Amino acid sequence: MAEAYIIDACRTPRGIGKVGKGALAHIHPQQLAATVLKALAERNKLDTATVDDIIWGTSSQRGAQGADLGRMAALDAGYDIKASGVTLDRFCGSGITSVALAAAQVMSGMEDCVIAGGTEMMSYTAATADPKAPPVLDAGNTRLRASHPQTQQGVCADAIATLEGIDREAVDRLAFTSQQRAAKAIAEGRFDKSLVPVYNEDGTLALDHEEFPRPGTTMETLAGLRTVFPAYMDIPVDDQGNTYGNLVTRKYPELEGKMNHVHHAGNSSGVVDGAAALLLTSKEYADKHGMKPRGRIVATANMGDCPTLMLNAPVPAAKKVLEKAGLTKNDIDVWEINEAFSVVAEKFIRDLELDREKVNINGGAMALGHPIGATGSILIGTALDELERSGGRYGLVTMCAAGGMAPAIIIERI
């Protein structure tokens, strides 16, 4: 099978995902995606007429964030019209899946040059959300709800913490560590290689740095935050008497009246806007165009798990992709597990018995934010940058996704 080389990776800074507050919130999603596509072309002197396809991840595909962002952003970036594009949705896992599918196209020999990435303007999707839309993933499908009740993600996070015996101090400690590591990474310029500034239409700078981190966070300030999700437990979701709370307790009755609510704004992922892209090619394409690969795709995998708990698939996904690659956890130098909620990363570390110094080395979504469809692509670029900085060989990236899923990918530094 052919190799899929990673030639380059870039991303925007993450802006606070709130209209009127975030520095990117006024920008059209197609324009934000075009920022990274244009940067990839310029940084690599890419003849965009030779791009076979652009595979893009976007979770909430509606309004300005719909209409196939992969194709529209390429046109907005000035790509040749021959460069096709498609957009997919695997919820939070979209940005890993876009890279996995791009790699598969190259490794199969069907394509030679594919760009993968993702965009999520959470400021836009929040501002345009339909208040009458079904609040849970089954979209009012009573048959699906009967077999696989799916509740609000934060309720899932607290349910997992309760079932696993993970307490408030542990999840706060991980959130504090994430902020510390992100602050150090920013101060040392560890993100600079991949970060590209975003400009307004008039040419003025919109944002050139991470907007979400709170480096002054302490264990004391985290301890003072009120947990968010007890208030969700009794919210009705239909006219059948279901609430966010009983959707999970129906499946796990042992949680009835015993939920230990430990998550709050400080130990949950940040709501932000962002985009990221990676350039993948075959060896023949790279040689022909004088491109020096930075890494290669070793293996990819997908895994499903309990939809009711929703967030538990990363551990089996990591085991599956390691087996596919013929590697063990001791071979991995850099682990990136998305901090959707602190308990996701904490359980991941505990279950796999990982060295904490190798996991989310430069902080994670609790400090930097989680632009849903883009995060997976961001993390792959972050892992590659860290492998180059530290001299490591292998990086593994995975994340939970709604519906109880997790994609995973292993990359190797060249």
Side-chain angles (χ1 to χ4, degrees), residues 164-175:
E164 297 290 330
I166 297 174
D167 61 20
R168 172 73 180 262
E169 194 278 335
V171 292
D172 280 358
R173 176 67 60 185
L174 199 62

Side-chain angles (χ1 to χ4, degrees), residues 12 31 86 102 172 174 276 322 364:
T12 68
Q31 295 170 339
V86 65
D172 280 358
L174 199 62
L322 284 168

Side-chain angles (χ1 to χ4, degrees), residues 148-172:
H148 295 295
Q150 298 174 66
T151 186
Q152 200 274 344
Q153 289 95 326
V155 173
C156 294
D158 284 345
I160 293 167
T162 304
L163 292 168
E164 297 290 330
I166 297 174
D167 61 20
R168 172 73 180 262
E169 194 278 335
V171 292
D172 280 358

Side-chain angles (χ1 to χ4, degrees), residues 86-245:
V86 65
T87 302
L88 59 86
D89 173 16
R90 196 195 292 273
F91 303 112
C92 297
S94 301
I96 292 179
T97 295
S98 65
V99 176
L101 293 181
Q105 286 292 90
V106 173
M107 295 170 78
S108 69
M110 293 296 103
E111 310 281 17
D112 288 298
C113 178
V114 185
I115 293 173
T119 301
E120 204 79 42
M121 298 287 293
M122 298 184 77
S123 58
Y124 174 78
T125 57
T128 59
D130 180 2
K132 297 180 180 179
V136 286
L137 293 172
D138 57 36
N141 181 344
T142 55
R143 185 172 66 182
L144 176 58
R145 185 171 296 172
S147 58
H148 295 295
Q150 298 174 66
T151 186
Q152 200 274 344
Q153 289 95 326
V155 173
C156 294
D158 284 345
I160 293 167
T162 304
L163 292 168
E164 297 290 330
I166 297 174
D167 61 20
R168 172 73 180 262
E169 194 278 335
V171 292
D172 280 358
R173 176 67 60 185
L174 199 62
F176 173 60
T177 299
S178 185
Q179 292 285 352
Q180 285 189 311
R181 290 180 175 181
K184 181 178 181 180
I186 291 168
E188 294 182 358
R190 296 187 186 183
F191 300 141
D192 291 355
K193 186 171 186 176
S194 292
L195 206 64
V196 296
V198 181
Y199 292 94
N200 297 307
E201 285 199 67
D202 63 4
T204 58
L205 181 67
L207 187 66
D208 64 354
H209 63 278
E210 298 290 353
E211 193 175 30
F212 188 78
R214 298 175 293 276
T217 298
T218 65
M219 285 294 289
E220 288 71 29
T221 59
L222 289 170
L225 294 175
R226 185 173 61 181
T227 56
V228 173
F229 301 105
Y232 282 72
M233 295 293 287
D234 296 324
I235 295 177
V237 298
D238 57 25
D239 57 4
Q240 307 298 312
N242 286 304
T243 65
Y244 282 123

Side-chain angles (χ1 to χ4, degrees), residues 250-261:
R250 272 171 43 198
K251 192 86 170 184
Y252 295 90
E254 65 267 36
L255 292 171
E256 185 71 47
K258 297 181 180 180
M259 286 276 282
N260 182 24
H261 293 283

